[in-house]
Amino acid sequence: MTGVDPRLHVTLPGLTMKNPVMPASGCFAFGREYAELFDLSKLGAVAIKGTTGAARLGNPTPRVAETPSGMLNAIGLQNPGAQAVRDEELPFLEGYDVPVLANVSGSTPEEYVHVVKTLTTAPNVGAFELNISCPNVKEGGIQFGTDPEAAAALTTAVKAVSTKPVYVKLSPNVTDVTAIALAVEAAGADGLTLINTLVGMRIDASTGKPVLANEKGGLSGPAVKPVALRMIHDVRQVTGLPIIGMGGIQSAEDVIEFLFAGADAVAVGTANFSNPFVCPTIIRELPAWLDQLGLESIGAFREQGANI
Amino acid sequence: MKNEQMTVRENKTIAEKTYEMTLSGPLVEHLVNPGTFLHVAVPGDDLVLRRPISIAAVDQDAGTCTIVYKEEGEGTKRLSRCRAGDSVDVFGPLGKQGFPAEQPSPGDDVLIIGGGVGVPPLYYTARELAKRDVSVSVILGFQTATAVFYEQAFRELPDADVRVMTDDGSNGHAGTVIDALNERPSPPDWLFACGPRGMLRAIEAHAAHSKTNGYVSLEERMGCGIGACFACVCETGDHTSYRKICRDGPVFRFKEVVL
C-alpha cells in the first residue's frame, strides 16, 4: 500500500500494525459507517464494539451527555451478539487490510469464554481485548476489573480457549491500577489496554434528575487524558507487557504524550465523534513528530528508553 | 457526507432564543433531501459533541442553506454569537431517511404539523412540495407568541392553509396542535410532523389511519451522528429491535418505532 511510512510500524502480540493508531472500542461500531468516509486500511487496527454472548439492546436513552471537555455515555453494550458479529460484521472488515482487536464483554466468565470461542476462529481477529471494566451494565463487567483475583481468574479462563493473544482492558475506577495489571499479567495476559471510562454522572439543575437514563455513565474525552497518562505511566513502571493507551486522545501531539508515558500503541475514542476523520489525520501527522523528536520510529520510544 | 468549513452568511434572531443561520459552501450541493440534518461543531475545543441541527431551507442557486436552532445551552449560545464571515465546521448531510416530499401528488391532502423548534425541517419539506405543485395544510404549535417563527414564510407558500396554535392563546388559536388536528373533518393522505416527543406520540395516536401515510422526525442526544456510537437509538414498533435515529432516520413512518 502506498503512503505507508515504515517508521510508524508497530508489532504487538497478534497485531501487525502499519501505525500505532486504532479507533477505540465502542466509538467505531464495526467500521461500516466510517468506511464510507475513509479507507479503513489506513488504520493501524480496528477495535470493534464490545461483543457479548447474546444480542443486547442496551440502555434507555438519553445515553450520552456532554461534560466539560468530555462526555458521559451509558450505551449499555448494545451489540448483535457473538455469532452475528462472527458471521456478519467481521467478514465486512476482512475487506480491509487491517487487523481487528475484538473487544469481549460479558456478565459471567462463561459468557466471556463463549464469545472468545466464537470469535477466535475469525481470520482477521488478531487479538482480544477483555472488557473487564464497562461501567454501564449493572450485572456485568466492572466487578472483574476492580478485583485482582477475579480479573486474573477471568484472564486464565479466556486464555485457555483463545487461539489469539489476549489484552485486558483496565478500569481507572480503582485505587491501584498496577495491582490489577500485575494480576492479569501473572494470569497470562499478552498485553494491556487502558484506560476505560471513569464512572460519572450529570444532573439536570432544572429538574434535579440525572441527565442519563442510566443515571451514571462512563466519562471520556480530553477531560480524562491526565488520568490516562498517569495510569499508563504507573503501569509501565511495573510491567513490560505491551500497552495500548487511550483516554482523551485527539491529536498527534496527544499520541506522542501517550508513547512517552509508556504506551506502545494508542486508541482514539470520543474524538471520532467531533472529528470523524481524526484517526487518518493523526496518522498523517505522526511522521513530523518523529522528525521533530529525532526518533527513528515509533518503536524507538521503547528501544531507546524514551519512555519516561 | 462531507465535512467542511462553511461560511456564515447571516445569523439572526427570529423568535425568543431561536436563531436562523444561513451558511454557504460546497456542501450545499449535497443537500437534496428534506428532513436530513447537519452535525455542527460548536466553536471552542471544550465542547466535544457536535450539535444535530435540522435544515430549514436550501437555495441551490445561491449556494446557501438555512438552519434554525434554539439557544438551550452553552453550545447553542456560542453558535448564536457567530457573525457573517465566520466559519463553522459542518458535517453532513446526515440521516438516510427524510420526509418523502417526492411522493405526494398534487391534489393530495397533505398535513404538516410542527412544534417549536421542530418546525424548520417541515418548512424545507413544504417548499419542496410546493415546487411540485403540492399544496399543504399546516399546523404550527408554540408555547407563546414570542416563540412563533416561520408563520409568514408558510403563509407565502402557494395555497398553504396555515393555522398557528399557542398554549396560552397569545398568538393564533389557544390550544395544542392536537386540538387543531381533531377539528379536521377527515384524515389526511399524508402527515409529516416534527416536534417534542410527547407531541409526536399524541399525533400518531390521533392520526394513525389506514388512509394516512404518517411520518415523524425524531430528535435525541447524539454522539457520532453516523450510526457508529449507538447513542440515539429507539425501539422498533414490534419491540424486537432498534433503529438509529441519526442513520436510519431521523424520519420514521408511523409505528415504525416506539415514540
Side-chain angles (χ1 to χ4, degrees):
Chain A
M1 200 183 143
T2 56
V4 177
D5 189 327
R7 297 182 300 167
L8 299 186
H9 284 187
V10 175
T11 303
L12 299 179
L15 303 171
T16 301
M17 300 166 61
K18 301 184 194 78
N19 59 71
V21 179
M22 70 182 80
S25 176
C27 300
F28 212 72
F30 299 94
R32 291 178 192 274
E33 295 80 11
Y34 286 91
E36 295 175 12
L37 304 178
F38 61 85
D39 178 6
L40 301 186
S41 299
K42 290 181 176 177
L43 298 167
V46 171
I48 59 169
K49 185 154 176 58
T51 299
T52 51
R56 287 184 65 106
L57 286 175
N59 292 328
T61 56
R63 292 177 167 186
V64 293
E66 199 168 45
T67 63
S69 295
M71 61 170 265
L72 290 167
N73 90 82
I75 306 297
L77 291 175
Q78 179 173 337
N79 78 96
Q83 197 59 51
V85 169
R86 174 72 179 84
D87 296 342
E88 294 159 27
E89 303 294 349
L90 289 170
F92 171 78
L93 284 167
E94 282 180 44
Y96 297 90
D97 178 24
V98 63
V100 171
L101 180 64
N103 185 287
V104 180
S105 294
S107 304
T108 62
E110 292 73 23
E111 185 176 4
Y112 282 88
V113 165
H114 167 67
V115 176
V116 169
K117 275 184 176 173
T118 306
L119 302 185
T120 198
T121 55
N124 55 340
V125 168
F128 289 105
E129 177 181 50
L130 289 193
N131 179 6
I132 60 168
S133 42
C134 177
N136 295 329
V137 287
K138 287 186 174 65
E139 76 278 21
I142 199 161
Q143 79 273 18
F144 298 108
T146 53
D147 176 351
E149 284 185 21
L154 185 67
T155 305
T156 301
V158 166
K159 281 290 290 179
V161 296
S162 177
T163 61
K164 309 284 173 63
V166 174
Y167 294 69
V168 180
K169 189 168 191 173
L170 303 183
S171 170
N173 304 303
V174 294
T175 308
D176 180 9
V177 70
T178 63
I180 312 282
L182 290 171
V184 300
E185 179 177 24
D190 300 285
L192 304 169
T193 70
L194 65 157
I195 58 174
N196 206 322
T197 54
L198 287 133
V199 181
M201 72 186 294
R202 272 205 60 198
I203 294 170
D204 184 331
S206 64
T207 63
K209 292 180 177 168
V211 173
L212 295 174
N214 192 53
E215 296 191 352
K216 298 172 189 174
L219 179 64
S220 63
V224 310
K225 194 181 95 174
V227 179
L229 286 167
R230 187 267 296 176
M231 288 194 157
I232 291 163
H233 176 262
D234 286 355
V235 171
R236 177 49 76 221
Q237 307 310 305
V238 300
T239 177
L241 281 181
I243 293 175
I244 299 170
M246 65 202 72
I249 293 172
Q250 21 176 33
S251 67
E253 183 175 358
D254 289 338
V255 172
I256 298 299
E257 276 196 70
F258 275 72
L259 295 172
F260 271 123
D264 300 280
V266 297
V268 179
T270 304
N272 290 290
F273 303 162
S274 45
N275 175 9
F277 299 93
V278 66
C279 286
T281 300
I282 288 173
I283 292 162
R284 196 170 61 241
E285 292 175 352
L286 278 175
W289 275 96
L290 291 178
D291 294 342
Q292 184 180 324
L293 294 166
L295 292 170
E296 289 179 2
S297 66
I298 294 295
F301 279 89
R302 273 281 202 116
E303 293 158 14
Q304 298 178 13
N307 292 338
I308 54 174
Chain B
M1 280 182 281
K2 282 178 67 70
N3 182 202
E4 70 178 41
Q5 298 292 320
M6 298 188 79
T7 303
V8 177
R9 296 296 175 195
E10 190 176 31
N11 191 25
K12 62 181 183 186
T13 312
I14 56 171
E16 188 174 17
K17 292 194 169 187
T18 307
Y19 295 80
E20 180 188 71
M21 181 185 280
T22 304
L23 297 162
S24 66
L27 194 150
V28 171
E29 292 174 24
H30 299 265
L31 305 181
V32 294
N33 190 358
T36 55
F37 65 97
L38 299 178
H39 222 197
V40 180
V42 173
D45 292 338
D46 57 321
L47 298 179
V48 301
L49 295 178
R50 289 169 176 269
R51 271 36 176 190
I53 302 179
S54 57
I55 302 161
V58 177
D59 185 337
Q60 293 292 358
D61 294 334
T64 61
C65 66
T66 303
I67 59 175
V68 172
Y69 57 96
K70 191 164 186 185
E71 185 190 310
E72 287 174 333
E74 180 59 27
T76 40
K77 183 183 285 184
R78 287 188 201 173
L79 278 180
S80 74
R81 293 183 191 135
C82 289
R83 296 291 170 259
D86 289 351
S87 290
V88 178
D89 187 305
V90 178
F91 181 44
L94 300 184
K96 299 263 185 200
Q97 195 163 269
F99 288 112
E102 73 288 354
Q103 291 188 29
S105 303
D108 283 357
D109 181 9
V110 182
L111 176 62
I112 278 174
I113 305 179
V117 81
V119 166
L122 296 168
Y123 180 60
Y124 181 9
T125 306
R127 284 195 5 160
E128 292 300 304
L129 288 165
K131 284 183 191 171
R132 298 179 49 247
D133 298 322
V134 179
S135 58
V136 292
S137 298
V138 182
I139 302 171
L140 303 177
F142 299 94
Q143 287 184 329
T144 188
T146 54
V148 176
F149 64 93
Y150 276 19
E151 177 185 359
Q152 190 55 34
F154 274 104
R155 289 196 190 283
E156 289 170 5
L157 294 171
D159 298 322
D161 164 36
V162 182
R163 183 176 171 125
V164 173
M165 307 294 293
T166 48
D167 295 344
D168 59 5
S170 55
N171 185 325
H173 302 264
T176 68
V177 299
I178 303 301
D179 297 329
L181 175 65
N182 286 337
E183 288 175 17
R184 287 175 54 87
S186 61
D189 300 312
W190 301 87
L191 197 162
F192 301 150
C194 184
R197 191 66 70 94
M199 182 192 100
L200 299 180
R201 203 177 293 132
I203 288 171
E204 189 184 72
H206 286 253
H209 185 279
S210 57
K211 179 192 174 194
T212 301
N213 295 292
Y215 290 82
V216 294
S217 180
L218 303 188
E219 188 180 42
E220 184 55 84
R221 287 170 189 268
M222 287 183 187
C224 67
I226 60 172
C229 77
F230 296 71
C232 62
V233 299
C234 52
E235 258 189 298
T236 52
D238 58 7
H239 300 279
T240 62
S241 185
Y242 61 89
R243 294 278 186 274
K244 299 169 183 172
I245 291 173
C246 67
R247 187 176 181 88
D248 302 323
V251 175
F252 297 95
R253 292 183 70 105
F254 275 5
K255 307 291 186 188
E256 184 179 350
V257 296
V258 178
L259 297 177

